[in-house]
Amino acid sequence: ETGVTQSPTHLIKTRGQQVTLRCSSQSGHNTVSWYQQALGQGPQFIFQYYREEENGRGNFPPRFSGLQFPNYSSELNVNALELDDSALYLCASSPTSGGAGDTQYFGPGTRLTVL
Amino acid sequence: AQRVTQPEKLLSVFKGAPVELKCNYSYSGSPELFWYVQYSRQRLQLLLRHISRESIKGFTADLNKGETSFHLKKPFAQEEDSAMYYCALKSRAAGNKLTFGGGTRVLVKP
């Protein structure tokens, strides 16, 4: 069984640029959630995708967008990057969209630095 | 709005001593609580969840709805317990998102 994978591992961008982060969900999982973890803080929920549809969104502006593909892998896109977007971006997959006891399994994260 | 608070940023204990990590939450519905752990250079992983009422690696956590707490405890800390610990709350009403606390770093000294 393959776990959650994310690419790239590290990324450096400049203000105003756009970035795409990728996530492959664990085998058999149809739900992907994205989180932003700033230095010294806990992860913050960005949004969740279930069967290719957005299924909940946190308090992030529209320049944060996502996609989920038929194989349940997912992308996180961030437009017009700001310095405060520098963070570790975590992807988590789960077998369902959140039933009782449903567990989210995390990837290793992508470290984004915005200069 | 839901919130999870971990008041201690750092807990330093000696090997063999008890350790308790505090977690308090605010949520108007019926909560589902988790503890996640992140060891050095590893990914975030589930340690335990309240609905399972299990003990993992000697850790236990009891949901106290009256005090809105979900403290994590271990009677005898081991050096391999040194890690970052996050308490998290799942909300069905908000897209099944996990709301995390700020985390507590545990350092177990020999």
Side-chain angles (χ1 to χ4, degrees):
Chain A
E1 185 178 273
T2 307
V4 179
T5 60
Q6 292 185 244
S7 63
T9 306
H10 296 90
L11 205 50
I12 299 175
K13 292 284 189 178
T14 56
R15 272 187 304 174
Q17 284 189 311
Q18 178 266 343
V19 69
T20 297
L21 310 182
R22 295 179 176 83
C23 170
S24 290
S25 59
Q26 187 165 315
S27 176
H29 290 186
N30 59 21
T31 302
V32 171
S33 303
W34 286 91
Y35 294 83
Q36 180 195 65
Q37 186 174 21
L39 201 61
Q41 298 182 22
Q44 274 196 291
F45 177 75
I46 303 174
F47 42 56
Q48 182 183 85
Y49 278 84
Y50 169 62
R51 293 185 175 179
E52 303 178 58
E53 298 286 332
E54 189 176 287
N55 184 44
R57 188 179 182 93
N59 190 26
F60 280 81
R63 59 190 186 84
F64 285 78
S65 63
L67 280 175
Q68 188 178 32
F69 300 99
N71 67 354
Y72 304 129
S73 65
S74 177
E75 286 183 356
L76 164 65
N77 298 290
V78 187
N79 293 322
L81 283 167
E82 300 177 359
L83 296 180
D84 284 349
D85 296 334
S86 294
L88 182 67
Y89 288 86
L90 297 170
C91 168
S93 75
S94 51
T96 70
S97 64
D102 188 37
T103 298
Q104 295 187 20
Y105 295 86
F106 284 82
T110 293
R111 171 74 61 190
L112 173 65
T113 302
V114 182
L115 302 176
Chain B
Q2 58 203 66
R3 187 164 58 193
V4 176
T5 303
Q6 295 178 248
E8 304 119 339
K9 287 282 189 188
L10 173 66
L11 272 181
S12 182
V13 300
F14 284 102
K15 177 182 172 181
V19 62
E20 180 179 23
L21 289 74
K22 291 185 168 48
C23 171
N24 289 91
Y25 66 90
S26 61
Y27 181 54
S28 55
S30 184
E32 198 171 337
L33 276 298
F34 302 81
W35 276 99
Y36 278 82
V37 61
Q38 187 168 30
Y39 301 103
S40 180
R41 296 192 182 88
Q42 294 188 28
R43 65 185 66 191
L44 201 58
Q45 58 186 279
L46 178 69
L47 180 61
L48 54 79
R49 50 194 177 190
H50 89 270
I51 64 169
S52 300
R53 296 181 177 273
E54 57 201 343
S55 173
I56 303 292
K57 299 184 178 182
F59 284 97
T60 58
D62 291 317
L63 179 60
N64 186 324
K65 292 187 179 181
E67 295 183 358
T68 60
S69 68
F70 187 56
H71 302 330
L72 182 68
K73 301 176 186 178
K74 184 169 182 177
F76 307 104
Q78 302 300 313
E79 289 182 69
E80 56 265 30
D81 297 328
S82 295
M84 197 73 189
Y85 292 79
Y86 293 96
C87 182
L89 180 155
K90 188 170 80 171
S91 161
R92 282 188 169 238
N96 297 305
K97 72 175 185 179
L98 286 174
T99 299
F100 286 86
T104 297
R105 179 168 298 282
V106 171
L107 177 61
V108 181
K109 297 176 286 187

